[in-house]
Amino acid sequence: MFDFLSNDATVRVIYIWCAALCTLGIYSILYKENKVYRFLEHLFLGLATGYTISQTWTTILKPQWWEPMTNDGQWWWALALPAGLLFYMVFFPRHAWMSRLIFGFFFGAAAGRTFQAFAATYFPLVKSAVNIPLMNPPEASMPGAYWLTGTSAILNNLLFLAIVISVMVYFFFSFEQRHPAIRMTSRFGRYTLMFAFGAIFGSTIMARMSLLIGRMFFLIHDWFQVTVLGMKG
Amino acid sequence: MKHATWPARIILLVLSGIILYAILSARRGKKLYLRRIPGLNAIEEAVGRAVEMGRPILGSIGLGDVDVITLQALAIISSVATTAARFAHRIVLPLRNAAQVPIAEEALRAAYTAGGRPDVFNEQDLPFLSGEQFAYAAGVAGIIQRERPAATFLFGTFYAEALIIAENANQVGAIQIAGTPSTTQVPFFIAACDYVLIGDEYYAATAYITRQPTLLGSLIGQDIGKMLLLGMIILGVVLVTFGSPFIANIFGDKDLETFAAYFRAATGGK
Amino acid sequence: MGGFFVPKQGAELWAYIIGAFVVGLGILYALSLTPKSLRKTLIAGITFLGGLFFALEFFWPVDTAGPMAGKNFLTAYIKPVSSVTTILGAFALGLGLYSMVSIHGRAVAKRRENWGFSAVLLGAILAMAIPAIWKEYDKSPQIAGFYRIMYDGGFNPLNATMFSIVAFYIVSAAYRAFRIRTVEAGILLMSAVIIMIGQVTLGQLLTAWIPNENFSSNFRVENLSNWILTRVNSPAQLAISLGIGVGTLATALRLWLSLERGAFFDEEL
């Protein structure tokens, strides 16, 4: 009865039709929420949860816990199960506090990792921030440099420093920014932030449009032309 | 940097010491000032609007795991919940990570109890949706369209789904307050939301809302830490200008052999 | 006999596994007897120990030469401890599943309004999870074909479509945000437009007539766009990042040392 599932061509036609209907149905929310979108939303949530369950077993529990315990004889992994059961103590009001033991472990582990994460992430940033000489910049002696290169490099470096200072001043909370110099610096910082956020906005739009183009290509080429009309791919 | 260099040990211990000292000072009763953060002043207004319109409040603590950012988001939403509890008002908080479910349930239950209305808390208002990014977004979009919240609070780690959630909330006319350390999503929140907490304001939020001495002290400590880093950057630029990469070497990822080596640029193994 | 903490085999292995599980349950029972006055201390202790391992592994000096170069005595345990946290985190999936199944299961059982959608959700969980796990053990083409329909016909296109829908929302968000009402909105708009124009060939054609050398090259839109990204955006992002970093460090310290405050942390146990 299910032999058609072993035929690649049949399976391909089925999943392309399903994919096309899913795509069009999701886009219907752009008009307004409707039963088709609601059906696909619940379908998506179910499929995603099923996928998460399978991934949790096949990529985490099976290779890292079950197989070392049962195949490689590492019996001590059995202790992980009672530890994992601590999560489920929330269902017992008298023992609900015990779930905080394992959550505390996770909070502590996350916190303990922060030191290494801080050094790995922010130290290189500070290092790059200080490598901006305000005199005799290296750009002035690079191939292709002309008479203004040195001056423009210095001005760029000054601007870099000014922006770092002004944005950091903007984010000071513990004193009133009443002095005109501090207020101006803070306002310059805010305007610079808007410039930066506009840049991020502009650079992201193209990437998002390319995703839309991808879906449109699927609908027009893979589904309509190849599958519906039977044109060659 | 996988392991600390000596400068990293000193800098991190100094920063930690400053923060802890500030916390302890605040707990001893030291008076502390906190400048205005507009987005946070709007929380009561947003909750009040939801109560008047009789529509629920929607919250999201983002896509992070059980980490520092998500816990901070949950702390902010809990503060909102305490305010909402005073008016016996619902908060719907769809969740993305399974481990967040009991933490969020306990946090909101405690918040509603602190607000005097533990009976209003309903576990079904904290549904686990999915661990997948866009399945979560689809679920939240659907909830927003059906529940039609009057106010949304979006705090935590967000990625591309931020705009899906925020724009759907705009379609139903919700007032929106958002905050995320994910700087790539801040521009979209600025475009879609009424109030946005940018960068460090995110971490100032709980201190601002609760005025708890520990949190205020921590914020003061953070400010001093940032001043220290800023001072080091300025000093570093001045030193590099005069040919000494001292600060750059301190923030490098390797220990140098002698203290004097930190003042010199690395030149072909010398 | 061999050592205690060595791999076992056969019936002896299962005896040790069951024994370890029972011992684990015994530890849970002993923990449940903790008096109320000691509970917060116990939680604070475990929180501290959880963080101490990673903090110590980072701060402890490493060997500079020999087989342990670049490592200290704790480095070898990073992978197993990280494995433990990953595995324990995986066990938490049941919490989310319980939440989902109880909400939608009750809706189906009590035939609440729109219970059909809840039934779809529950059915989809099984339709995806079962073949996805089954195909690991049974390589039959029917299972693979069914999984392909679920994945390539359902999960994948739904995911990709939701991602692509952001493009529509970007346009609507930009339309609303860029009705210039403030100086800040104007700056955001100007910056975004320059970046967008600088990234597309059509936009670059606008200033293609300007020589791409010396001072005049600064006025070509792609160079202007690049300048904004590297000279304005970069330092601003750096400054924001440093603030966030210090904020994360402070929050982490409060969590690690159990100094955090809030309804969740102040609750009586």
Side-chain angles (χ1 to χ4, degrees), chain A residues 24-38:
Chain A
L24 294 167
I26 288 288
Y27 281 142
S28 68
I29 199 181
L30 295 169
Y31 176 56
K32 66 173 188 174
E33 205 261 352
N34 54 77
K35 287 204 177 344
V36 172
Y37 176 81
R38 209 179 302 177

Side-chain angles (χ1 to χ4, degrees), chain B residues 185-224:
Chain B
Q185 301 310 312
V186 169
F188 302 107
F189 276 146
I190 290 175
C193 299
D194 298 281
Y195 299 94
V196 182
L197 304 184
I198 302 168
D200 218 10
E201 291 174 342
Y202 178 78
Y203 287 106
T206 42
Y208 191 88
I209 297 167
T210 62
R211 301 281 163 167
Q212 226 279 342
T214 301
L215 302 176
L216 282 173
S218 174
L219 202 56
I220 306 304
Q222 284 167 231
D223 267 7
I224 300 171

Side-chain angles (χ1 to χ4, degrees), chain A residues 2-3 15 27 38 49 57 64 72-73 75 87-88 97-98 100 108 122 146 156 190 195 198-200 206, chain C residues 7-8 28 39 47 51 83 88 91 94 114 137 148 164 184 187 191-192 199 215 227 237 241 264 267:
Chain A
F2 297 112
D3 287 339
Y15 80 65
Y27 281 142
R38 209 179 302 177
T49 303
W57 174 251
Q64 295 184 42
D72 302 340
W75 56 269
F87 283 118
Y88 299 90
W97 72 271
M98 290 172 70
R100 295 203 183 208
Y122 302 109
Y146 64 105
N156 277 324
R190 184 154 175 98
F195 228 94
I200 295 172
M206 296 305 154
Chain C
K8 306 291 180 194
L28 287 189
R39 287 175 183 176
T47 304
S83 243
L88 291 177
F91 283 133
N114 294 319
Y137 302 98
R148 236 184 132 190
S164 71
E184 291 162 7
I187 292 172
S191 173
Q199 284 187 337
F215 185 68
W227 180 83
Q237 295 302 325
S241 295
F264 177 77
E267 204 188 354

Side-chain angles (χ1 to χ4, degrees), chain B residues 3 9 27 129 167 218, chain C residues 57 59 100 172 254 261:
Chain B
H3 294 96
R9 282 187 197 101
R27 282 173 134 181
L129 292 183
E167 276 299 299
S218 174
Chain C
E57 198 281 332
F59 283 116
M100 199 173 231
S172 66
R254 294 198 311 265
R261 289 290 168 265

Side-chain angles (χ1 to χ4, degrees), chain B residues 16 19-21 23-24 27 212-215 218, chain C residues 44 47 250-262 265-266:
Chain B
S16 304
I19 292 166
L20 289 172
Y21 179 76
I23 290 174
L24 293 171
R27 282 173 134 181
Q212 226 279 342
T214 301
L215 302 176
S218 174
Chain C
T47 304
T251 309
L253 275 169
R254 294 198 311 265
L255 280 170
W256 186 35
L257 302 174
S258 297
L259 296 170
E260 188 63 29
R261 289 290 168 265
F265 295 96
D266 294 334

Side-chain angles (χ1 to χ4, degrees), chain B residues 266-270:
Chain B
T267 45
K270 282 188 195 162

Side-chain angles (χ1 to χ4, degrees), chain B residues 27-57:
Chain B
R27 282 173 134 181
R28 272 186 247 124
K30 190 175 173 193
K31 277 263 176 263
L32 299 162
Y33 169 84
L34 199 54
R35 74 153 169 85
R36 214 173 142 265
I37 301 176
L40 297 172
N41 284 342
I43 287 179
E44 285 240 16
E45 174 202 336
V47 172
R49 186 171 183 267
V51 172
E52 272 171 25
M53 296 174 83
R55 284 155 54 178
I57 296 167

